[in-house]
PDB file of all heavy atoms in Angstrom:
ATOM      1  N   ASN A  18       4.231   5.867 -14.654  1.00  0.00           N
ATOM      2  CA  ASN A  18       5.028   4.775 -14.156  1.00  0.00           C
ATOM      3  C   ASN A  18       5.994   5.205 -13.052  1.00  0.00           C
ATOM      4  O   ASN A  18       6.225   4.414 -12.150  1.00  0.00           O
ATOM      5  CB  ASN A  18       5.794   4.117 -15.349  1.00  0.00           C
ATOM      6  CG  ASN A  18       4.925   3.423 -16.311  1.00  0.00           C
ATOM      7  OD1 ASN A  18       3.910   2.801 -15.962  1.00  0.00           O
ATOM      8  ND2 ASN A  18       5.287   3.537 -17.592  1.00  0.00           N
ATOM      9  N   ALA A  19       6.411   6.434 -13.180  1.00  0.00           N
ATOM     10  CA  ALA A  19       7.304   6.963 -12.095  1.00  0.00           C
ATOM     11  C   ALA A  19       6.564   7.040 -10.737  1.00  0.00           C
ATOM     12  O   ALA A  19       7.057   6.825  -9.694  1.00  0.00           O
ATOM     13  CB  ALA A  19       7.869   8.247 -12.459  1.00  0.00           C
ATOM     14  N   VAL A  20       5.291   7.492 -10.845  1.00  0.00           N
ATOM     15  CA  VAL A  20       4.487   7.617  -9.590  1.00  0.00           C
ATOM     16  C   VAL A  20       4.222   6.171  -8.975  1.00  0.00           C
ATOM     17  O   VAL A  20       4.341   5.957  -7.813  1.00  0.00           O
ATOM     18  CB  VAL A  20       3.116   8.265  -9.947  1.00  0.00           C
ATOM     19  CG1 VAL A  20       2.156   8.247  -8.727  1.00  0.00           C
ATOM     20  CG2 VAL A  20       3.355   9.712 -10.259  1.00  0.00           C
ATOM     21  N   LEU A  21       3.967   5.231  -9.821  1.00  0.00           N
ATOM     22  CA  LEU A  21       3.755   3.879  -9.319  1.00  0.00           C
ATOM     23  C   LEU A  21       4.916   3.292  -8.675  1.00  0.00           C
ATOM     24  O   LEU A  21       4.903   2.530  -7.731  1.00  0.00           O
ATOM     25  CB  LEU A  21       3.256   2.980 -10.495  1.00  0.00           C
ATOM     26  CG  LEU A  21       1.922   3.282 -11.156  1.00  0.00           C
ATOM     27  CD1 LEU A  21       1.680   2.239 -12.226  1.00  0.00           C
ATOM     28  CD2 LEU A  21       0.804   3.223 -10.098  1.00  0.00           C
ATOM     29  N   ALA A  22       6.069   3.648  -9.243  1.00  0.00           N
ATOM     30  CA  ALA A  22       7.366   3.174  -8.709  1.00  0.00           C
ATOM     31  C   ALA A  22       7.997   3.967  -7.588  1.00  0.00           C
ATOM     32  O   ALA A  22       9.092   3.673  -7.154  1.00  0.00           O
ATOM     33  CB  ALA A  22       8.415   3.025  -9.831  1.00  0.00           C
ATOM     34  N   ARG A  23       7.319   5.105  -7.206  1.00  0.00           N
ATOM     35  CA  ARG A  23       7.859   6.001  -6.144  1.00  0.00           C
ATOM     36  C   ARG A  23       9.247   6.489  -6.594  1.00  0.00           C
ATOM     37  O   ARG A  23      10.161   6.580  -5.765  1.00  0.00           O
ATOM     38  CB  ARG A  23       7.920   5.302  -4.757  1.00  0.00           C
ATOM     39  CG  ARG A  23       6.565   4.796  -4.366  1.00  0.00           C
ATOM     40  CD  ARG A  23       5.542   5.878  -4.149  1.00  0.00           C
ATOM     41  NE  ARG A  23       4.335   5.334  -3.515  1.00  0.00           N
ATOM     42  CZ  ARG A  23       3.301   4.886  -4.163  1.00  0.00           C
ATOM     43  NH1 ARG A  23       3.420   4.868  -5.535  1.00  0.00           N
ATOM     44  NH2 ARG A  23       2.248   4.486  -3.564  1.00  0.00           N
ATOM     45  N   ASP A  24       9.394   6.756  -7.848  1.00  0.00           N
ATOM     46  CA  ASP A  24      10.715   7.206  -8.386  1.00  0.00           C
ATOM     47  C   ASP A  24      10.780   8.696  -8.255  1.00  0.00           C
ATOM     48  O   ASP A  24      10.477   9.514  -9.097  1.00  0.00           O
ATOM     49  CB  ASP A  24      10.809   6.811  -9.902  1.00  0.00           C
ATOM     50  CG  ASP A  24      12.180   6.911 -10.396  1.00  0.00           C
ATOM     51  OD1 ASP A  24      12.985   7.636  -9.869  1.00  0.00           O
ATOM     52  OD2 ASP A  24      12.530   6.184 -11.432  1.00  0.00           O
ATOM     53  N   TYR A  25      11.274   9.163  -7.043  1.00  0.00           N
ATOM     54  CA  TYR A  25      11.295  10.559  -6.691  1.00  0.00           C
ATOM     55  C   TYR A  25      11.983  11.424  -7.758  1.00  0.00           C
ATOM     56  O   TYR A  25      11.362  12.446  -8.178  1.00  0.00           O
ATOM     57  CB  TYR A  25      11.976  10.738  -5.294  1.00  0.00           C
ATOM     58  CG  TYR A  25      11.252  10.155  -4.139  1.00  0.00           C
ATOM     59  CD1 TYR A  25      11.916   9.943  -2.962  1.00  0.00           C
ATOM     60  CD2 TYR A  25       9.935   9.851  -4.258  1.00  0.00           C
ATOM     61  CE1 TYR A  25      11.285   9.404  -1.848  1.00  0.00           C
ATOM     62  CE2 TYR A  25       9.242   9.347  -3.135  1.00  0.00           C
ATOM     63  CZ  TYR A  25       9.906   9.073  -1.919  1.00  0.00           C
ATOM     64  OH  TYR A  25       9.299   8.577  -0.973  1.00  0.00           O
ATOM     65  N   PRO A  26      13.235  11.145  -8.113  1.00  0.00           N
ATOM     66  CA  PRO A  26      13.891  12.059  -9.006  1.00  0.00           C
ATOM     67  C   PRO A  26      13.182  12.128 -10.380  1.00  0.00           C
ATOM     68  O   PRO A  26      13.032  13.231 -10.967  1.00  0.00           O
ATOM     69  CB  PRO A  26      15.264  11.367  -9.274  1.00  0.00           C
ATOM     70  CG  PRO A  26      15.446  10.545  -8.028  1.00  0.00           C
ATOM     71  CD  PRO A  26      14.099  10.020  -7.679  1.00  0.00           C
ATOM     72  N   LEU A  27      12.675  11.074 -10.923  1.00  0.00           N
ATOM     73  CA  LEU A  27      12.011  11.109 -12.186  1.00  0.00           C
ATOM     74  C   LEU A  27      10.686  11.852 -12.118  1.00  0.00           C
ATOM     75  O   LEU A  27      10.331  12.648 -13.012  1.00  0.00           O
ATOM     76  CB  LEU A  27      11.775   9.656 -12.678  1.00  0.00           C
ATOM     77  CG  LEU A  27      11.085   9.513 -14.095  1.00  0.00           C
ATOM     78  CD1 LEU A  27      11.921  10.247 -15.143  1.00  0.00           C
ATOM     79  CD2 LEU A  27      10.878   8.042 -14.445  1.00  0.00           C
ATOM     80  N   MET A  28       9.965  11.683 -11.018  1.00  0.00           N
ATOM     81  CA  MET A  28       8.785  12.466 -10.811  1.00  0.00           C
ATOM     82  C   MET A  28       9.075  13.917 -10.687  1.00  0.00           C
ATOM     83  O   MET A  28       8.353  14.805 -11.236  1.00  0.00           O
ATOM     84  CB  MET A  28       8.020  11.940  -9.477  1.00  0.00           C
ATOM     85  CG  MET A  28       7.212  10.730  -9.681  1.00  0.00           C
ATOM     86  SD  MET A  28       6.158  10.394  -8.209  1.00  0.00           S
ATOM     87  CE  MET A  28       7.424   9.823  -7.042  1.00  0.00           C
ATOM     88  N   GLN A  29      10.096  14.260  -9.916  1.00  0.00           N
ATOM     89  CA  GLN A  29      10.411  15.676  -9.620  1.00  0.00           C
ATOM     90  C   GLN A  29      10.720  16.425 -10.904  1.00  0.00           C
ATOM     91  O   GLN A  29      10.073  17.434 -11.198  1.00  0.00           O
ATOM     92  CB  GLN A  29      11.605  15.726  -8.710  1.00  0.00           C
ATOM     93  CG  GLN A  29      11.325  15.478  -7.255  1.00  0.00           C
ATOM     94  CD  GLN A  29      12.566  15.514  -6.411  1.00  0.00           C
ATOM     95  OE1 GLN A  29      12.456  15.615  -5.179  1.00  0.00           O
ATOM     96  NE2 GLN A  29      13.759  15.504  -7.035  1.00  0.00           N
ATOM     97  N   TYR A  30      11.668  15.945 -11.680  1.00  0.00           N
ATOM     98  CA  TYR A  30      12.106  16.618 -12.864  1.00  0.00           C
ATOM     99  C   TYR A  30      11.082  16.569 -14.000  1.00  0.00           C
ATOM    100  O   TYR A  30      10.972  17.498 -14.793  1.00  0.00           O
ATOM    101  CB  TYR A  30      13.449  16.139 -13.314  1.00  0.00           C
ATOM    102  CG  TYR A  30      14.549  16.371 -12.260  1.00  0.00           C
ATOM    103  CD1 TYR A  30      15.124  15.391 -11.506  1.00  0.00           C
ATOM    104  CD2 TYR A  30      14.920  17.664 -11.919  1.00  0.00           C
ATOM    105  CE1 TYR A  30      16.053  15.550 -10.580  1.00  0.00           C
ATOM    106  CE2 TYR A  30      15.870  17.881 -10.908  1.00  0.00           C
ATOM    107  CZ  TYR A  30      16.434  16.820 -10.264  1.00  0.00           C
ATOM    108  OH  TYR A  30      17.380  17.053  -9.285  1.00  0.00           O
ATOM    109  N   GLY A  31      10.376  15.468 -14.049  1.00  0.00           N
ATOM    110  CA  GLY A  31       9.285  15.385 -15.041  1.00  0.00           C
ATOM    111  C   GLY A  31       8.181  16.351 -14.808  1.00  0.00           C
ATOM    112  O   GLY A  31       7.727  17.123 -15.655  1.00  0.00           O
ATOM    113  N   PHE A  32       7.647  16.405 -13.570  1.00  0.00           N
ATOM    114  CA  PHE A  32       6.603  17.298 -13.212  1.00  0.00           C
ATOM    115  C   PHE A  32       7.062  18.794 -13.267  1.00  0.00           C
ATOM    116  O   PHE A  32       6.361  19.615 -13.683  1.00  0.00           O
ATOM    117  CB  PHE A  32       6.083  17.027 -11.798  1.00  0.00           C
ATOM    118  CG  PHE A  32       5.254  15.798 -11.687  1.00  0.00           C
ATOM    119  CD1 PHE A  32       5.401  14.881 -10.635  1.00  0.00           C
ATOM    120  CD2 PHE A  32       4.301  15.522 -12.665  1.00  0.00           C
ATOM    121  CE1 PHE A  32       4.633  13.732 -10.554  1.00  0.00           C
ATOM    122  CE2 PHE A  32       3.481  14.361 -12.628  1.00  0.00           C
ATOM    123  CZ  PHE A  32       3.642  13.465 -11.612  1.00  0.00           C
ATOM    124  N   LEU A  33       8.323  18.982 -12.885  1.00  0.00           N
ATOM    125  CA  LEU A  33       8.806  20.349 -12.927  1.00  0.00           C
ATOM    126  C   LEU A  33       8.841  20.882 -14.414  1.00  0.00           C
ATOM    127  O   LEU A  33       8.489  21.963 -14.617  1.00  0.00           O
ATOM    128  CB  LEU A  33      10.261  20.361 -12.316  1.00  0.00           C
ATOM    129  CG  LEU A  33      10.979  21.754 -12.342  1.00  0.00           C
ATOM    130  CD1 LEU A  33      10.212  22.675 -11.475  1.00  0.00           C
ATOM    131  CD2 LEU A  33      12.405  21.539 -11.892  1.00  0.00           C
ATOM    132  N   LEU A  34       9.320  20.056 -15.278  1.00  0.00           N
ATOM    133  CA  LEU A  34       9.447  20.504 -16.696  1.00  0.00           C
ATOM    134  C   LEU A  34       8.073  20.734 -17.214  1.00  0.00           C
ATOM    135  O   LEU A  34       7.884  21.803 -17.886  1.00  0.00           O
ATOM    136  CB  LEU A  34      10.148  19.376 -17.533  1.00  0.00           C
ATOM    137  CG  LEU A  34      10.265  19.677 -18.995  1.00  0.00           C
ATOM    138  CD1 LEU A  34      11.134  20.866 -19.252  1.00  0.00           C
ATOM    139  CD2 LEU A  34      10.904  18.453 -19.700  1.00  0.00           C
ATOM    140  N   THR A  35       7.110  19.902 -17.001  1.00  0.00           N
ATOM    141  CA  THR A  35       5.795  20.128 -17.564  1.00  0.00           C
ATOM    142  C   THR A  35       5.116  21.363 -16.916  1.00  0.00           C
ATOM    143  O   THR A  35       4.379  22.091 -17.564  1.00  0.00           O
ATOM    144  CB  THR A  35       4.921  18.887 -17.344  1.00  0.00           C
ATOM    145  OG1 THR A  35       4.906  18.537 -15.964  1.00  0.00           O
ATOM    146  CG2 THR A  35       5.406  17.677 -18.136  1.00  0.00           C
ATOM    147  N   SER A  36       5.313  21.498 -15.569  1.00  0.00           N
ATOM    148  CA  SER A  36       4.701  22.655 -14.907  1.00  0.00           C
ATOM    149  C   SER A  36       5.308  24.009 -15.449  1.00  0.00           C
ATOM    150  O   SER A  36       4.474  24.934 -15.653  1.00  0.00           O
ATOM    151  CB  SER A  36       4.978  22.578 -13.388  1.00  0.00           C
ATOM    152  OG  SER A  36       4.426  21.403 -12.889  1.00  0.00           O
ATOM    153  N   ILE A  37       6.555  24.043 -15.672  1.00  0.00           N
ATOM    154  CA  ILE A  37       7.209  25.259 -16.162  1.00  0.00           C
ATOM    155  C   ILE A  37       6.678  25.575 -17.604  1.00  0.00           C
ATOM    156  O   ILE A  37       6.496  26.743 -17.943  1.00  0.00           O
ATOM    157  CB  ILE A  37       8.722  25.151 -16.134  1.00  0.00           C
ATOM    158  CG1 ILE A  37       9.222  25.201 -14.704  1.00  0.00           C
ATOM    159  CG2 ILE A  37       9.370  26.257 -16.955  1.00  0.00           C
ATOM    160  CD1 ILE A  37      10.696  25.015 -14.576  1.00  0.00           C
ATOM    161  N   MET A  38       6.439  24.527 -18.376  1.00  0.00           N
ATOM    162  CA  MET A  38       5.902  24.682 -19.747  1.00  0.00           C
ATOM    163  C   MET A  38       4.523  25.301 -19.698  1.00  0.00           C
ATOM    164  O   MET A  38       4.180  26.199 -20.526  1.00  0.00           O
ATOM    165  CB  MET A  38       5.919  23.418 -20.496  1.00  0.00           C
ATOM    166  CG  MET A  38       7.210  22.877 -20.871  1.00  0.00           C
ATOM    167  SD  MET A  38       8.263  24.064 -21.860  1.00  0.00           S
ATOM    168  CE  MET A  38       7.197  24.323 -23.276  1.00  0.00           C
ATOM    169  N   VAL A  39       3.700  24.893 -18.747  1.00  0.00           N
ATOM    170  CA  VAL A  39       2.387  25.430 -18.581  1.00  0.00           C
ATOM    171  C   VAL A  39       2.445  26.952 -18.234  1.00  0.00           C
ATOM    172  O   VAL A  39       1.710  27.756 -18.774  1.00  0.00           O
ATOM    173  CB  VAL A  39       1.601  24.670 -17.502  1.00  0.00           C
ATOM    174  CG1 VAL A  39       0.255  25.352 -17.262  1.00  0.00           C
ATOM    175  CG2 VAL A  39       1.339  23.242 -17.967  1.00  0.00           C
ATOM    176  N   ILE A  40       3.325  27.238 -17.272  1.00  0.00           N
ATOM    177  CA  ILE A  40       3.463  28.652 -16.849  1.00  0.00           C
ATOM    178  C   ILE A  40       3.956  29.537 -17.989  1.00  0.00           C
ATOM    179  O   ILE A  40       3.497  30.646 -18.197  1.00  0.00           O
ATOM    180  CB  ILE A  40       4.415  28.687 -15.631  1.00  0.00           C
ATOM    181  CG1 ILE A  40       3.797  27.975 -14.419  1.00  0.00           C
ATOM    182  CG2 ILE A  40       4.740  30.175 -15.227  1.00  0.00           C
ATOM    183  CD1 ILE A  40       4.733  27.858 -13.217  1.00  0.00           C
ATOM    184  N   LEU A  41       4.984  29.064 -18.757  1.00  0.00           N
ATOM    185  CA  LEU A  41       5.561  29.831 -19.816  1.00  0.00           C
ATOM    186  C   LEU A  41       4.507  30.023 -20.919  1.00  0.00           C
ATOM    187  O   LEU A  41       4.468  31.095 -21.529  1.00  0.00           O
ATOM    188  CB  LEU A  41       6.721  29.106 -20.401  1.00  0.00           C
ATOM    189  CG  LEU A  41       8.021  29.146 -19.479  1.00  0.00           C
ATOM    190  CD1 LEU A  41       9.151  28.396 -20.177  1.00  0.00           C
ATOM    191  CD2 LEU A  41       8.381  30.528 -19.082  1.00  0.00           C
ATOM    192  N   ALA A  42       3.675  29.012 -21.186  1.00  0.00           N
ATOM    193  CA  ALA A  42       2.629  29.157 -22.160  1.00  0.00           C
ATOM    194  C   ALA A  42       1.565  30.212 -21.760  1.00  0.00           C
ATOM    195  O   ALA A  42       1.060  30.960 -22.517  1.00  0.00           O
ATOM    196  CB  ALA A  42       1.939  27.776 -22.392  1.00  0.00           C
ATOM    197  N   SER A  43       1.242  30.220 -20.499  1.00  0.00           N
ATOM    198  CA  SER A  43       0.361  31.247 -19.953  1.00  0.00           C
ATOM    199  C   SER A  43       0.914  32.617 -20.071  1.00  0.00           C
ATOM    200  O   SER A  43       0.248  33.605 -20.394  1.00  0.00           O
ATOM    201  CB  SER A  43       0.039  30.938 -18.463  1.00  0.00           C
ATOM    202  OG  SER A  43      -0.850  31.862 -17.950  1.00  0.00           O
ATOM    203  N   CYS A  44       2.194  32.777 -19.748  1.00  0.00           N
ATOM    204  CA  CYS A  44       2.903  34.031 -19.913  1.00  0.00           C
ATOM    205  C   CYS A  44       2.928  34.457 -21.383  1.00  0.00           C
ATOM    206  O   CYS A  44       2.646  35.689 -21.668  1.00  0.00           O
ATOM    207  CB  CYS A  44       4.367  33.952 -19.376  1.00  0.00           C
ATOM    208  SG  CYS A  44       5.253  35.478 -19.403  1.00  0.00           S
ATOM    209  N   LEU A  45       3.178  33.575 -22.267  1.00  0.00           N
ATOM    210  CA  LEU A  45       3.169  33.846 -23.724  1.00  0.00           C
ATOM    211  C   LEU A  45       1.801  34.276 -24.176  1.00  0.00           C
ATOM    212  O   LEU A  45       1.643  35.151 -25.054  1.00  0.00           O
ATOM    213  CB  LEU A  45       3.690  32.625 -24.524  1.00  0.00           C
ATOM    214  CG  LEU A  45       3.800  32.802 -26.054  1.00  0.00           C
ATOM    215  CD1 LEU A  45       4.803  33.905 -26.376  1.00  0.00           C
ATOM    216  CD2 LEU A  45       4.217  31.514 -26.613  1.00  0.00           C
ATOM    217  N   THR A  46       0.808  33.637 -23.607  1.00  0.00           N
ATOM    218  CA  THR A  46      -0.579  33.965 -23.950  1.00  0.00           C
ATOM    219  C   THR A  46      -0.901  35.426 -23.590  1.00  0.00           C
ATOM    220  O   THR A  46      -1.465  36.154 -24.414  1.00  0.00           O
ATOM    221  CB  THR A  46      -1.600  33.025 -23.215  1.00  0.00           C
ATOM    222  OG1 THR A  46      -1.290  31.686 -23.561  1.00  0.00           O
ATOM    223  CG2 THR A  46      -3.006  33.362 -23.607  1.00  0.00           C
ATOM    224  N   ASP A  47      -0.499  35.828 -22.368  1.00  0.00           N
ATOM    225  CA  ASP A  47      -0.719  37.189 -21.976  1.00  0.00           C
ATOM    226  C   ASP A  47      -0.031  38.181 -22.967  1.00  0.00           C
ATOM    227  O   ASP A  47      -0.650  39.181 -23.332  1.00  0.00           O
ATOM    228  CB  ASP A  47      -0.258  37.443 -20.551  1.00  0.00           C
ATOM    229  CG  ASP A  47      -1.131  36.797 -19.570  1.00  0.00           C
ATOM    230  OD1 ASP A  47      -2.258  36.503 -19.854  1.00  0.00           O
ATOM    231  OD2 ASP A  47      -0.678  36.696 -18.382  1.00  0.00           O
ATOM    232  N   ALA A  48       1.181  37.862 -23.288  1.00  0.00           N
ATOM    233  CA  ALA A  48       1.991  38.785 -24.191  1.00  0.00           C
ATOM    234  C   ALA A  48       1.333  38.808 -25.628  1.00  0.00           C
ATOM    235  O   ALA A  48       1.190  39.972 -26.131  1.00  0.00           O
ATOM    236  CB  ALA A  48       3.427  38.330 -24.310  1.00  0.00           C
ATOM    237  N   LEU A  49       0.995  37.720 -26.156  1.00  0.00           N
ATOM    238  CA  LEU A  49       0.398  37.681 -27.510  1.00  0.00           C
ATOM    239  C   LEU A  49      -1.006  38.256 -27.527  1.00  0.00           C
ATOM    240  O   LEU A  49      -1.473  38.811 -28.572  1.00  0.00           O
ATOM    241  CB  LEU A  49       0.454  36.323 -28.099  1.00  0.00           C
ATOM    242  CG  LEU A  49       1.861  35.697 -28.324  1.00  0.00           C
ATOM    243  CD1 LEU A  49       1.769  34.332 -28.901  1.00  0.00           C
ATOM    244  CD2 LEU A  49       2.592  36.628 -29.348  1.00  0.00           C
ATOM    245  N   TYR A  50      -1.741  38.023 -26.466  1.00  0.00           N
ATOM    246  CA  TYR A  50      -3.165  38.417 -26.412  1.00  0.00           C
ATOM    247  C   TYR A  50      -3.210  39.986 -26.527  1.00  0.00           C
ATOM    248  O   TYR A  50      -4.090  40.500 -27.134  1.00  0.00           O
ATOM    249  CB  TYR A  50      -3.760  37.999 -25.117  1.00  0.00           C
ATOM    250  CG  TYR A  50      -5.288  37.868 -25.110  1.00  0.00           C
ATOM    251  CD1 TYR A  50      -5.917  37.354 -26.226  1.00  0.00           C
ATOM    252  CD2 TYR A  50      -6.043  38.269 -24.065  1.00  0.00           C
ATOM    253  CE1 TYR A  50      -7.300  37.287 -26.293  1.00  0.00           C
ATOM    254  CE2 TYR A  50      -7.436  38.173 -24.115  1.00  0.00           C
ATOM    255  CZ  TYR A  50      -8.035  37.638 -25.206  1.00  0.00           C
ATOM    256  OH  TYR A  50      -9.430  37.513 -25.227  1.00  0.00           O
ATOM    257  N   ALA A  51      -2.257  40.642 -25.863  1.00  0.00           N
ATOM    258  CA  ALA A  51      -2.211  42.080 -25.888  1.00  0.00           C
ATOM    259  C   ALA A  51      -1.927  42.591 -27.338  1.00  0.00           C
ATOM    260  O   ALA A  51      -2.416  43.650 -27.696  1.00  0.00           O
ATOM    261  CB  ALA A  51      -1.262  42.635 -24.897  1.00  0.00           C
TER     262      ALA A  51
END
């Protein structure tokens, strides 16, 4: 809904939070995999 509304701040911080979670999960995967 934020994309449809061109809601810049909501898009920014929402996408940022989800992207960081993906990166942290990948980092955790490397650590636990070893």
Side-chain angles (χ1 to χ4, degrees):
N18 291 324
V20 172
L21 294 181
R23 304 297 186 270
D24 196 333
Y25 294 161
L27 185 54
M28 279 191 286
Q29 283 180 165
Y30 297 111
F32 287 137
L33 178 63
L34 180 62
T35 55
S36 300
I37 290 178
M38 290 304 300
V39 173
I40 294 172
L41 292 179
S43 180
C44 182
L45 182 62
T46 301
D47 285 345
L49 293 179
Y50 203 43

